Amino acid sequence: MPESSPTPTRRGRLLRFGAAVAVLFALAGYLAVQYLTGGAGEPRCRVVSGEGDDASYEFTPEQAVNAATISAVGTSRRLPERAVAIALATALQESNLRNIQHGDRDSLGLFQQRPSQGWGTTKEIMDPTYAAGVFYEHLAKVPDYTRLPLTVAAQRVQRSGYPQAYAKHEPDATMLAAALTGRAAATLTCEGRPGTTPIGGPDSVRAALVRDFGHEVLQEAGADISAQGDSSAPDGTASSPPAAASGPASAPASGSPSSTVSARTVTVPVRKDDSPGTGVRGWELAHWAVANSSALHIERVSYAGREWTAGRREGEWLRSGTQGAPAAKEAATEVRIVTAQ
């Protein structure tokens, strides 16, 4: 005699049991991923308004690196903050601050510049430093661009088919520009989880500084890499090893905690900016380092008595004085960047 089929009530129980098992498996998988990735999804960066309101903008480490490059290229050319805001709003609209290899017709890169229209070669346009520089070259030729509405100034450079599209990015670009040019202190943070690339260490930080700011950032400011046994001078040439110290003031033994941190520290003395006491240049360099923290495996940045540490979920700039951070009265003259390797 054939077996009777399950009753509706029994079928309902089986379905509910199966659904509960599926949920438990999904939850277990989610918790495993959270454990393996440090309890978070894609790492984030955040900039907040320095005007005392609640405005903020969140973005990815990739976007942060590109935004920092755009800003550094502008300030290195002694262009005003407004120029940086215009460039950032343009890149947000054209590529969402990503260095993409496609676009309308032959458009490429952060600003969707076209080789066929004389913006440069494909290789040049895909270099964010070059792309930002050529954008600023065209912007500087626009009469009174700092007084024009952002959409008008951007359109004079881009000749876009959608000239009003830049306007929606102005608030975010303005906040980013204020932070990355250093005017708004301690307003840019990142989670700082290391990227998948092996790039990191003091040499990589120094190379990236030169890439974005030019050689002057090291030569003019007299940047120093505080590394035991580092044989490279700031300009990339070999230098003589320091004379061995003697007596009670000798350097910590190799392998000690303090010497290990010293070997991973880039100390960038801050030149006097146009407004003494404001710390604009220092905060520009400090925010640049935080924006590059995932890409360059930076774990700590200190400036002006404040310290950012990678992995701190809220990403605050806290008062320094712990973990070997510089004293507040000294920190205003230098930015210290500690790498993870």
Side-chain angles (χ1 to χ4, degrees):
M1 182 176 179
E3 222 176 280
S4 60
S5 60
T7 65
T9 301
R10 186 182 175 193
R11 274 202 304 271
R13 288 199 204 99
L14 290 172
L15 288 172
R16 285 195 295 273
F17 178 77
V21 170
V23 169
L24 286 174
F25 273 115
L27 179 60
Y30 171 79
L31 292 174
V33 170
Q34 293 295 296
Y35 175 78
L36 293 172
T37 61
E42 185 179 17
R44 305 295 294 176
C45 295
R46 184 170 182 258
V47 62
V48 298
S49 171
E51 304 300 323
D53 54 32
D54 294 328
S56 65
Y57 171 62
E58 286 195 355
F59 49 112
T60 67
E62 176 192 0
Q63 292 171 304
V65 170
N66 290 327
T69 293
I70 290 170
S71 178
V73 172
T75 60
S76 296
R77 293 171 177 245
R78 302 292 190 267
L79 295 174
E81 183 183 326
R82 180 64 172 173
V84 174
I86 294 169
L88 289 171
T90 302
L92 278 165
Q93 169 58 28
E94 298 293 352
S95 67
N96 199 23
L97 277 173
R98 289 184 167 88
N99 198 27
I100 54 180
Q101 300 185 43
H102 56 81
D104 178 44
R105 287 167 285 189
D106 59 337
S107 299
L108 298 165
L110 289 173
F111 297 93
Q112 290 292 279
Q113 295 155 338
R114 299 178 60 191
S116 64
Q117 299 301 306
W119 285 94
T121 65
T122 296
K123 182 178 180 180
E124 287 173 333
I125 291 172
M126 290 303 297
D127 175 359
T129 303
Y130 171 89
V134 74
F135 176 88
Y136 286 124
E137 286 178 12
H138 284 73
L139 180 64
K141 296 176 183 178
V142 177
D144 295 324
Y145 71 87
T146 58
R147 299 182 182 182
L148 295 174
L150 185 145
T151 54
V152 175
Q155 176 63 5
R156 296 276 174 88
V157 176
Q158 296 294 107
R159 307 294 181 186
S160 169
Y162 305 94
Q164 297 304 316
Y166 303 110
K168 63 186 177 185
H169 301 290
E170 184 167 3
D172 296 334
T174 300
M175 276 192 295
L176 272 174
L180 290 169
T181 61
R183 180 175 62 82
T187 54
L188 189 147
T189 59
C190 290
E191 291 179 14
R193 281 188 277 140
T196 56
T197 59
I199 298 173
D203 287 342
S204 294
V205 171
R206 179 177 57 185
L209 280 164
V210 171
R211 174 200 70 201
D212 285 1
F213 292 96
H215 288 282
E216 294 78 10
V217 71
L218 299 179
Q219 296 170 350
E220 182 178 343
D224 170 58
I225 298 209
S226 303
Q228 298 277 337
D230 185 357
S231 61
S232 299
D235 61 358
T237 60
S239 61
S240 301
S246 61
S250 58
S254 176
S256 69
S258 56
S259 66
T260 300
V261 171
S262 177
R264 296 185 283 113
T265 301
V266 177
T267 303
V268 186
V270 178
R271 69 168 187 253
K272 292 181 179 179
D273 52 40
D274 295 334
S275 304
T278 64
V280 170
R281 178 63 170 179
W283 280 112
E284 176 183 16
L285 293 166
H287 283 156
W288 176 92
V290 172
N292 281 274
S293 58
S294 290
L296 298 177
H297 297 196
I298 292 169
E299 68 177 27
R300 193 158 73 248
V301 181
S302 303
Y303 177 65
R306 305 287 289 273
E307 182 179 80
W308 167 90
T309 303
R312 187 181 291 137
R313 289 297 300 274
E314 64 273 18
E316 294 178 275
W317 281 90
L318 300 179
R319 293 293 175 186
S320 61
T322 59
Q323 302 180 39
K329 68 177 183 179
E330 298 173 349
T333 65
E334 63 188 23
V335 174
R336 290 191 180 185
I337 305 169
V338 181
T339 65
Q341 56 188 21

